[in-house]
Amino acid sequence: MLNADALNQLRQLKTDIKQNKVVFPGTVKPTNGRFGFVALDEGRDVFLPPEEMQKVLPGDRVNVTEQEVEKGKTQGVVDELLESHLTTFVGRYLIKGKGHFVAPETPGINRWIFIPPKERMGAEPDDFIYCQIHRHPIKDGKGQAKVLRVIGKAGQPGIERAFTLANFDLADAWPDEVQKQADAVSEESVAAHTEGREDRTEQPYVTIDSPGTQDMDDALMATPNATGWTLSIAIADPTAMIEPGSPAEDEAFNRATAIYFPGEPLPMLPDSISTRLCSLMPDVPRLALVCDLQVNNDGSLGDYSFRQAMIRSKGKLSYELVSHLIEGREDDEIKALPDEVANSLDQLHQAATALRKWRAEHALLSQDRPEFRLRLDENKRIRVIEPSVQNEAHRLVEECMVAANRCAADFLTQQGKGLFIQHPGLRDDRADNIRKLLESHAPHLAEHDASTAEGFKALMKHSDQPQAEVPVKAILSRQLARAELGFDAAPHQGMGLDAYTTFTSPLRKFSDFYVHRLIKAALWNTPIKPLNSQQLEALQATQIRARQAANTLETWLKADYAKTLPEDPMEGTISRTMPSGFFVRLDSNGLEGFVSCKDLEGKYGFDPVTLRLVHNKNGRIFQLEQRVTVSFAGVDDERRQINFKLIKAEEITGAQETTGG
């Protein structure tokens, strides 16, 4: 038994060790395996072995110590939990022996978590459940969870959407105070805001949209003049009906955007506002923020102005109808259009054609890529996937929206501060690879500096050569940085413009809603609740999460639909490459599936410069935009990933024809 002196010496030794121990703060980064890393605040990563990863959750802020293991390698030991952000998650309820667990579907939690008897909420095996961390695993690696809600069972109609909402913490119902505010808005509320607005209810504005669209936020009109056209874009004005700082505005900020889930969208604003009282419905007076602008004959923009107005749309027109009108077809629906509407549509088409020509010469156009529409059945699963053809009417609306948004960006630039969409072009961390790519495969473009707006524009304009050995433009497009929101004007290199913002979708996007506030505050001194940098960062993070949620649900539905595919050969194009294989996008329905290198003969190396997979011996190549024939090979249900088997691939210059293993 230790005496008092020995105990004091032991305590002092522990104190000395603790004082001399070097700890590093950082953030836990999970992997697909059982191990992980801690991204230290000082800028480097420390490896966390599986036994240490058991003690932490993705995103945890921790202190770690670093210890040396074999051959000079080091690994981290979790010393202290500083902060844990992951509180709720989703998963499947499982029973093993006498233990009840949740198998999380949150990325990075690669283990089952025990659920104590009192925290099970009557869940049954294979139920999808929404859980909360009941006890953090930091002490012994044995965390616990409690069930907050049973979402439902696999196979139930709509379970995919319900699960996705829970997974991304998205609300499907309105808070009581928001619903109360929405219920208080009426046609009388619209009429109460007419004072001081221009009366444009007799002018031939029309909306052009898909037949099923209800939240119509733009109406168009054009008239010719001596040097081109006067283009008038009327945008729905929900900011007039929603008070700054009110519950509806706060909830719109929290949601950031409407999410267009297949079959059943998740709106940003309550239906009474977004699809009725603020929607630019035909034949009823509606509030609008109007951008009037001069489009010159060469497609350049002249003077513009913003007006608060009342409009009355003369028709809800479909893209197909307007496209038929542009093509010169005559049918009963076209003949029934009032002359003033038909004349305005003709002028809109001419103005949009000029605008597009100017952008093709002086800016950048996004490539038209085949799009597809998911049609759901009564069980809310995909019944059929149909091509969604982009016609001249789509391009007409696009050009009008881009022109109006350019005017808004120019106006906010003059104010010295606003809300802009900034796009820096190519990713900084890919600069060396891009330089090597151009030097080796497009030397005529190597002189362009991709970090500048002009250099990037030149690269994207001149890198699309159909007969090139390597698809340079596709490779560059795969290495673009993400567009970001910012308070200061900066180039949008993806569009080839000096500054850009959007204000044309205020019913669907909070950033557009906020740009309305900025414009109106500058011109008419209307009230505004300014965003700060932290709120801007949160808004952008919510937008990203919304896109992830939509993609997650679509991926799930498509994976289930793929199980109905025949095993017949299907044509497609390689859309993504990586060291482990490549993804193929099918021509017929746009589905993407994975071809694994493990299923091909021989070994392949990945070239990060050309994004090619190259056979180590015979030189066979797989690269972006390569035409291939594949067959359905099943679905990885855990990843919800469609798998294909390669049948054959077109020959790439300098390589023989590639066939599947």
Side-chain angles (χ1 to χ4, degrees), residues 425-474:
L426 298 166
R427 290 169 51 176
D428 289 340
D429 61 337
R430 302 296 174 86
D432 287 343
N433 286 345
I434 291 167
R435 177 181 51 78
K436 293 174 184 176
L437 172 73
L438 298 178
E439 289 174 351
S440 300
H441 299 281
H444 62 293
L445 299 176
E447 64 184 32
H448 296 296
D449 182 359
S451 65
T452 68
E454 287 305 314
F456 177 82
K457 191 186 302 183
L459 277 179
M460 300 307 289
K461 277 180 177 289
H462 303 300
S463 59
D464 195 4
Q465 297 182 7
Q467 303 306 316
E469 176 189 353
V470 171
V472 174
K473 187 168 187 176

Short mmCIF file of all heavy atoms in Angstrom, two decimals, residues 425-474:
data_model
loop_
_atom_site.label_atom_id
_atom_site.label_comp_id
_atom_site.label_asym_id
_atom_site.label_seq_id
_atom_site.Cartn_x
_atom_site.Cartn_y
_atom_site.Cartn_z
N GLY A 425 -14.01 30.35 -61.13
CA GLY A 425 -13.51 29.57 -62.27
C GLY A 425 -13.00 28.22 -61.82
O GLY A 425 -13.70 27.46 -61.14
N LEU A 426 -11.76 27.91 -62.18
CA LEU A 426 -11.17 26.61 -61.88
C LEU A 426 -10.65 26.57 -60.44
O LEU A 426 -10.25 27.60 -59.89
CB LEU A 426 -10.04 26.30 -62.86
CG LEU A 426 -10.49 26.19 -64.33
CD1 LEU A 426 -9.29 26.23 -65.26
CD2 LEU A 426 -11.27 24.91 -64.55
N ARG A 427 -10.62 25.39 -59.87
CA ARG A 427 -10.15 25.22 -58.51
C ARG A 427 -8.65 25.51 -58.41
O ARG A 427 -7.86 25.04 -59.25
CB ARG A 427 -10.43 23.78 -58.04
CG ARG A 427 -11.89 23.49 -57.81
CD ARG A 427 -12.15 22.02 -57.60
NE ARG A 427 -11.30 21.42 -56.58
CZ ARG A 427 -11.41 20.15 -56.18
NH1 ARG A 427 -12.34 19.37 -56.72
NH2 ARG A 427 -10.60 19.66 -55.26
N ASP A 428 -8.27 26.23 -57.37
CA ASP A 428 -6.86 26.58 -57.18
C ASP A 428 -5.99 25.34 -57.03
O ASP A 428 -4.86 25.31 -57.51
CB ASP A 428 -6.70 27.48 -55.95
CG ASP A 428 -7.27 28.88 -56.18
OD1 ASP A 428 -7.42 29.26 -57.36
OD2 ASP A 428 -7.56 29.57 -55.19
N ASP A 429 -6.52 24.32 -56.34
CA ASP A 429 -5.70 23.14 -56.06
C ASP A 429 -5.48 22.26 -57.29
O ASP A 429 -4.74 21.28 -57.23
CB ASP A 429 -6.30 22.31 -54.92
CG ASP A 429 -7.70 21.81 -55.26
OD1 ASP A 429 -8.37 22.40 -56.11
OD2 ASP A 429 -8.13 20.80 -54.66
N ARG A 430 -6.13 22.60 -58.40
CA ARG A 430 -5.93 21.83 -59.64
C ARG A 430 -5.08 22.59 -60.65
O ARG A 430 -4.96 22.17 -61.81
CB ARG A 430 -7.29 21.50 -60.26
CG ARG A 430 -8.22 20.72 -59.34
CD ARG A 430 -7.67 19.35 -59.00
NE ARG A 430 -8.47 18.66 -58.02
CZ ARG A 430 -9.54 17.91 -58.31
NH1 ARG A 430 -9.93 17.78 -59.57
NH2 ARG A 430 -10.20 17.29 -57.36
N ALA A 431 -4.49 23.71 -60.24
CA ALA A 431 -3.77 24.59 -61.18
C ALA A 431 -2.63 23.85 -61.88
O ALA A 431 -2.45 23.96 -63.10
CB ALA A 431 -3.26 25.83 -60.46
N ASP A 432 -1.84 23.08 -61.13
CA ASP A 432 -0.70 22.38 -61.73
C ASP A 432 -1.17 21.35 -62.74
O ASP A 432 -0.59 21.22 -63.84
CB ASP A 432 0.14 21.71 -60.64
CG ASP A 432 0.95 22.71 -59.83
OD1 ASP A 432 1.10 23.86 -60.30
OD2 ASP A 432 1.41 22.35 -58.73
N ASN A 433 -2.19 20.59 -62.40
CA ASN A 433 -2.70 19.58 -63.32
C ASN A 433 -3.26 20.22 -64.59
O ASN A 433 -3.07 19.69 -65.69
CB ASN A 433 -3.78 18.74 -62.65
CG ASN A 433 -3.22 17.75 -61.64
OD1 ASN A 433 -2.01 17.49 -61.64
ND2 ASN A 433 -4.07 17.21 -60.79
N ILE A 434 -3.94 21.35 -64.43
CA ILE A 434 -4.52 22.03 -65.60
C ILE A 434 -3.41 22.57 -66.49
O ILE A 434 -3.49 22.48 -67.73
CB ILE A 434 -5.48 23.15 -65.13
CG1 ILE A 434 -6.72 22.52 -64.49
CG2 ILE A 434 -5.87 24.04 -66.30
CD1 ILE A 434 -7.59 23.48 -63.73
N ARG A 435 -2.36 23.11 -65.88
CA ARG A 435 -1.22 23.59 -66.68
C ARG A 435 -0.59 22.45 -67.47
O ARG A 435 -0.31 22.59 -68.66
CB ARG A 435 -0.19 24.25 -65.75
CG ARG A 435 1.08 24.73 -66.46
CD ARG A 435 2.07 25.34 -65.47
NE ARG A 435 2.32 24.48 -64.33
CZ ARG A 435 3.14 23.42 -64.37
NH1 ARG A 435 3.76 23.10 -65.50
NH2 ARG A 435 3.33 22.70 -63.28
N LYS A 436 -0.39 21.30 -66.83
CA LYS A 436 0.18 20.14 -67.52
C LYS A 436 -0.74 19.65 -68.64
O LYS A 436 -0.27 19.25 -69.72
CB LYS A 436 0.44 19.01 -66.52
CG LYS A 436 1.52 19.32 -65.51
CD LYS A 436 1.62 18.20 -64.46
CE LYS A 436 2.63 18.53 -63.39
NZ LYS A 436 2.67 17.49 -62.31
N LEU A 437 -2.04 19.67 -68.38
CA LEU A 437 -3.01 19.25 -69.39
C LEU A 437 -2.89 20.11 -70.64
O LEU A 437 -2.83 19.59 -71.76
CB LEU A 437 -4.43 19.35 -68.82
CG LEU A 437 -5.57 19.12 -69.80
CD1 LEU A 437 -5.67 17.65 -70.18
CD2 LEU A 437 -6.91 19.61 -69.21
N LEU A 438 -2.86 21.43 -70.44
CA LEU A 438 -2.80 22.33 -71.59
C LEU A 438 -1.47 22.20 -72.32
O LEU A 438 -1.44 22.19 -73.56
CB LEU A 438 -3.03 23.77 -71.13
CG LEU A 438 -4.40 24.06 -70.46
CD1 LEU A 438 -4.47 25.50 -70.01
CD2 LEU A 438 -5.54 23.73 -71.40
N GLU A 439 -0.38 22.10 -71.59
CA GLU A 439 0.93 21.99 -72.23
C GLU A 439 1.04 20.73 -73.07
O GLU A 439 1.63 20.73 -74.15
CB GLU A 439 2.03 22.01 -71.17
CG GLU A 439 2.22 23.38 -70.51
CD GLU A 439 3.22 23.33 -69.36
OE1 GLU A 439 3.61 22.20 -68.97
OE2 GLU A 439 3.58 24.41 -68.84
N SER A 440 0.44 19.64 -72.59
CA SER A 440 0.57 18.36 -73.28
C SER A 440 -0.47 18.15 -74.36
O SER A 440 -0.18 17.53 -75.39
CB SER A 440 0.48 17.21 -72.26
OG SER A 440 1.49 17.31 -71.29
N HIS A 441 -1.69 18.63 -74.15
CA HIS A 441 -2.78 18.26 -75.05
C HIS A 441 -3.47 19.44 -75.71
O HIS A 441 -4.30 19.24 -76.59
CB HIS A 441 -3.81 17.43 -74.27
CG HIS A 441 -3.26 16.15 -73.72
ND1 HIS A 441 -3.07 15.03 -74.49
CD2 HIS A 441 -2.82 15.84 -72.48
CE1 HIS A 441 -2.56 14.06 -73.74
NE2 HIS A 441 -2.39 14.53 -72.52
N ALA A 442 -3.17 20.65 -75.30
CA ALA A 442 -3.74 21.84 -75.95
C ALA A 442 -2.74 22.98 -75.86
O ALA A 442 -3.01 24.02 -75.25
CB ALA A 442 -5.07 22.22 -75.29
N PRO A 443 -1.54 22.79 -76.46
CA PRO A 443 -0.49 23.81 -76.33
C PRO A 443 -0.91 25.18 -76.85
O PRO A 443 -0.39 26.20 -76.39
CB PRO A 443 0.66 23.22 -77.14
CG PRO A 443 0.04 22.17 -78.02
CD PRO A 443 -1.12 21.65 -77.27
N HIS A 444 -1.87 25.21 -77.79
CA HIS A 444 -2.34 26.50 -78.31
C HIS A 444 -3.11 27.30 -77.26
O HIS A 444 -3.36 28.50 -77.44
CB HIS A 444 -3.23 26.28 -79.55
CG HIS A 444 -4.47 25.48 -79.28
ND1 HIS A 444 -4.44 24.14 -78.92
CD2 HIS A 444 -5.78 25.84 -79.30
CE1 HIS A 444 -5.68 23.71 -78.74
NE2 HIS A 444 -6.50 24.72 -78.96
N LEU A 445 -3.50 26.62 -76.14
CA LEU A 445 -4.23 27.31 -75.07
C LEU A 445 -3.37 27.55 -73.83
O LEU A 445 -3.81 28.19 -72.88
CB LEU A 445 -5.46 26.48 -74.66
CG LEU A 445 -6.51 26.21 -75.74
CD1 LEU A 445 -7.59 25.29 -75.20
CD2 LEU A 445 -7.12 27.52 -76.23
N ALA A 446 -2.13 27.02 -73.85
CA ALA A 446 -1.29 27.07 -72.65
C ALA A 446 -0.94 28.48 -72.22
O ALA A 446 -0.64 28.72 -71.05
CB ALA A 446 -0.02 26.24 -72.87
N GLU A 447 -0.97 29.42 -73.14
CA GLU A 447 -0.60 30.80 -72.80
C GLU A 447 -1.67 31.51 -71.98
O GLU A 447 -1.42 32.53 -71.37
CB GLU A 447 -0.34 31.59 -74.08
CG GLU A 447 -1.58 31.74 -74.96
CD GLU A 447 -1.30 32.46 -76.28
OE1 GLU A 447 -0.18 32.32 -76.80
OE2 GLU A 447 -2.21 33.16 -76.76
N HIS A 448 -2.90 30.96 -71.96
CA HIS A 448 -3.99 31.60 -71.23
C HIS A 448 -3.86 31.33 -69.73
O HIS A 448 -3.64 30.20 -69.31
CB HIS A 448 -5.35 31.11 -71.72
CG HIS A 448 -5.63 31.46 -73.15
ND1 HIS A 448 -5.76 32.76 -73.58
CD2 HIS A 448 -5.81 30.67 -74.24
CE1 HIS A 448 -6.01 32.76 -74.88
NE2 HIS A 448 -6.04 31.51 -75.30
N ASP A 449 -4.02 32.36 -68.94
CA ASP A 449 -3.97 32.25 -67.49
C ASP A 449 -5.38 31.98 -66.97
O ASP A 449 -6.23 32.88 -66.95
CB ASP A 449 -3.40 33.54 -66.88
CG ASP A 449 -3.28 33.47 -65.36
OD1 ASP A 449 -3.64 32.42 -64.78
OD2 ASP A 449 -2.81 34.45 -64.77
N ALA A 450 -5.63 30.72 -66.56
CA ALA A 450 -6.98 30.34 -66.14
C ALA A 450 -7.44 31.05 -64.88
O ALA A 450 -8.63 31.05 -64.56
CB ALA A 450 -7.04 28.83 -65.92
N SER A 451 -6.51 31.67 -64.14
CA SER A 451 -6.90 32.36 -62.90
C SER A 451 -7.51 33.73 -63.17
O SER A 451 -8.08 34.35 -62.27
CB SER A 451 -5.69 32.51 -61.99
OG SER A 451 -4.71 33.37 -62.57
N THR A 452 -7.40 34.23 -64.40
CA THR A 452 -8.00 35.52 -64.76
C THR A 452 -9.31 35.29 -65.49
O THR A 452 -9.52 34.24 -66.11
CB THR A 452 -7.06 36.34 -65.65
OG1 THR A 452 -6.94 35.70 -66.93
CG2 THR A 452 -5.68 36.46 -65.02
N ALA A 453 -10.18 36.29 -65.44
CA ALA A 453 -11.48 36.17 -66.09
C ALA A 453 -11.33 36.00 -67.60
O ALA A 453 -11.98 35.15 -68.22
CB ALA A 453 -12.33 37.39 -65.77
N GLU A 454 -10.47 36.80 -68.20
CA GLU A 454 -10.29 36.70 -69.66
C GLU A 454 -9.64 35.39 -70.05
O GLU A 454 -10.00 34.78 -71.06
CB GLU A 454 -9.45 37.89 -70.15
CG GLU A 454 -10.20 39.22 -70.14
CD GLU A 454 -11.50 39.16 -70.93
OE1 GLU A 454 -11.49 38.62 -72.06
OE2 GLU A 454 -12.52 39.63 -70.40
N GLY A 455 -8.65 34.95 -69.25
CA GLY A 455 -7.99 33.68 -69.55
C GLY A 455 -8.94 32.51 -69.44
O GLY A 455 -8.95 31.61 -70.30
N PHE A 456 -9.75 32.50 -68.40
CA PHE A 456 -10.71 31.42 -68.21
C PHE A 456 -11.73 31.42 -69.36
O PHE A 456 -12.08 30.36 -69.90
CB PHE A 456 -11.43 31.58 -66.88
CG PHE A 456 -12.50 30.55 -66.63
CD1 PHE A 456 -12.16 29.29 -66.15
CD2 PHE A 456 -13.84 30.83 -66.87
CE1 PHE A 456 -13.14 28.34 -65.92
CE2 PHE A 456 -14.82 29.89 -66.66
CZ PHE A 456 -14.47 28.63 -66.18
N LYS A 457 -12.21 32.61 -69.71
CA LYS A 457 -13.19 32.72 -70.79
C LYS A 457 -12.61 32.17 -72.10
O LYS A 457 -13.28 31.41 -72.82
CB LYS A 457 -13.61 34.18 -70.96
CG LYS A 457 -14.82 34.39 -71.87
CD LYS A 457 -15.09 35.87 -72.11
CE LYS A 457 -15.32 36.63 -70.83
NZ LYS A 457 -15.66 38.06 -71.08
N ALA A 458 -11.37 32.52 -72.39
CA ALA A 458 -10.73 32.04 -73.62
C ALA A 458 -10.57 30.53 -73.59
O ALA A 458 -10.80 29.85 -74.61
CB ALA A 458 -9.37 32.72 -73.79
N LEU A 459 -10.18 29.99 -72.45
CA LEU A 459 -10.02 28.53 -72.34
C LEU A 459 -11.34 27.81 -72.63
O LEU A 459 -11.38 26.85 -73.40
CB LEU A 459 -9.56 28.17 -70.93
CG LEU A 459 -8.06 28.26 -70.62
CD1 LEU A 459 -7.82 27.88 -69.17
CD2 LEU A 459 -7.26 27.37 -71.54
N MET A 460 -12.41 28.26 -72.01
CA MET A 460 -13.68 27.57 -72.16
C MET A 460 -14.26 27.76 -73.56
O MET A 460 -14.98 26.88 -74.07
CB MET A 460 -14.68 28.06 -71.11
CG MET A 460 -14.21 27.84 -69.67
SD MET A 460 -13.72 26.13 -69.29
CE MET A 460 -15.30 25.29 -69.29
N LYS A 461 -13.95 28.86 -74.20
CA LYS A 461 -14.46 29.09 -75.56
C LYS A 461 -13.75 28.24 -76.60
O LYS A 461 -14.35 27.80 -77.58
CB LYS A 461 -14.31 30.58 -75.93
CG LYS A 461 -15.41 31.48 -75.44
CD LYS A 461 -15.13 32.91 -75.89
CE LYS A 461 -16.26 33.84 -75.48
NZ LYS A 461 -17.47 33.63 -76.26
N HIS A 462 -12.45 28.02 -76.40
CA HIS A 462 -11.64 27.42 -77.46
C HIS A 462 -11.14 26.02 -77.15
O HIS A 462 -10.31 25.48 -77.89
CB HIS A 462 -10.45 28.33 -77.76
CG HIS A 462 -10.83 29.73 -78.13
ND1 HIS A 462 -11.62 30.03 -79.22
CD2 HIS A 462 -10.57 30.93 -77.53
CE1 HIS A 462 -11.81 31.33 -79.30
NE2 HIS A 462 -11.18 31.90 -78.28
N SER A 463 -11.63 25.43 -76.08
CA SER A 463 -11.13 24.10 -75.70
C SER A 463 -12.03 22.96 -76.18
O SER A 463 -11.72 21.80 -75.93
CB SER A 463 -10.97 24.01 -74.18
OG SER A 463 -12.21 24.24 -73.54
N ASP A 464 -13.12 23.30 -76.83
CA ASP A 464 -14.07 22.27 -77.25
C ASP A 464 -13.80 21.89 -78.71
O ASP A 464 -14.41 22.42 -79.63
CB ASP A 464 -15.50 22.79 -77.09
CG ASP A 464 -16.53 21.66 -77.16
OD1 ASP A 464 -16.11 20.50 -77.25
OD2 ASP A 464 -17.73 21.95 -77.12
N GLN A 465 -12.89 20.96 -78.91
CA GLN A 465 -12.54 20.49 -80.25
C GLN A 465 -12.96 19.03 -80.39
O GLN A 465 -12.38 18.15 -79.74
CB GLN A 465 -11.05 20.64 -80.50
CG GLN A 465 -10.57 22.09 -80.46
CD GLN A 465 -9.08 22.21 -80.76
OE1 GLN A 465 -8.43 21.24 -81.12
NE2 GLN A 465 -8.56 23.41 -80.62
N PRO A 466 -13.97 18.74 -81.19
CA PRO A 466 -14.53 17.38 -81.28
C PRO A 466 -13.50 16.31 -81.63
O PRO A 466 -13.61 15.17 -81.20
CB PRO A 466 -15.59 17.51 -82.38
CG PRO A 466 -15.94 18.96 -82.41
CD PRO A 466 -14.70 19.68 -82.05
N GLN A 467 -12.49 16.66 -82.44
CA GLN A 467 -11.53 15.66 -82.89
C GLN A 467 -10.30 15.56 -81.98
O GLN A 467 -9.36 14.83 -82.30
CB GLN A 467 -11.08 15.99 -84.32
CG GLN A 467 -12.23 16.09 -85.33
CD GLN A 467 -13.10 14.84 -85.34
OE1 GLN A 467 -12.60 13.73 -85.31
NE2 GLN A 467 -14.42 15.04 -85.37
N ALA A 468 -10.30 16.29 -80.86
CA ALA A 468 -9.14 16.28 -79.99
C ALA A 468 -8.96 14.91 -79.34
O ALA A 468 -9.93 14.20 -79.06
CB ALA A 468 -9.28 17.35 -78.91
N GLU A 469 -7.70 14.54 -79.12
CA GLU A 469 -7.39 13.25 -78.50
C GLU A 469 -7.94 13.18 -77.09
O GLU A 469 -8.43 12.15 -76.64
CB GLU A 469 -5.86 13.06 -78.48
CG GLU A 469 -5.41 11.79 -77.78
CD GLU A 469 -3.91 11.73 -77.59
OE1 GLU A 469 -3.21 12.62 -78.12
OE2 GLU A 469 -3.44 10.82 -76.90
N VAL A 470 -7.88 14.30 -76.37
CA VAL A 470 -8.37 14.38 -74.99
C VAL A 470 -9.47 15.43 -74.92
O VAL A 470 -9.31 16.52 -75.48
CB VAL A 470 -7.21 14.75 -74.03
CG1 VAL A 470 -7.73 15.05 -72.65
CG2 VAL A 470 -6.19 13.63 -73.98
N PRO A 471 -10.61 15.14 -74.26
CA PRO A 471 -11.71 16.12 -74.18
C PRO A 471 -11.38 17.23 -73.17
O PRO A 471 -11.84 17.21 -72.02
CB PRO A 471 -12.89 15.27 -73.72
CG PRO A 471 -12.27 14.18 -72.91
CD PRO A 471 -10.94 13.89 -73.58
N VAL A 472 -10.60 18.21 -73.62
CA VAL A 472 -10.07 19.22 -72.72
C VAL A 472 -11.19 19.98 -72.00
O VAL A 472 -11.13 20.19 -70.78
CB VAL A 472 -9.15 20.20 -73.48
CG1 VAL A 472 -8.70 21.34 -72.57
CG2 VAL A 472 -7.94 19.46 -74.03
N LYS A 473 -12.21 20.38 -72.73
CA LYS A 473 -13.27 21.17 -72.10
C LYS A 473 -14.00 20.36 -71.03
O LYS A 473 -14.31 20.89 -69.95
CB LYS A 473 -14.27 21.67 -73.15
CG LYS A 473 -15.29 22.65 -72.56
CD LYS A 473 -16.07 23.35 -73.64
CE LYS A 473 -16.97 24.43 -73.05
NZ LYS A 473 -17.67 25.20 -74.10
N ALA A 474 -14.26 19.10 -71.30
CA ALA A 474 -14.93 18.25 -70.30
C ALA A 474 -14.06 18.10 -69.06
O ALA A 474 -14.55 18.09 -67.93
CB ALA A 474 -15.25 16.89 -70.90
#
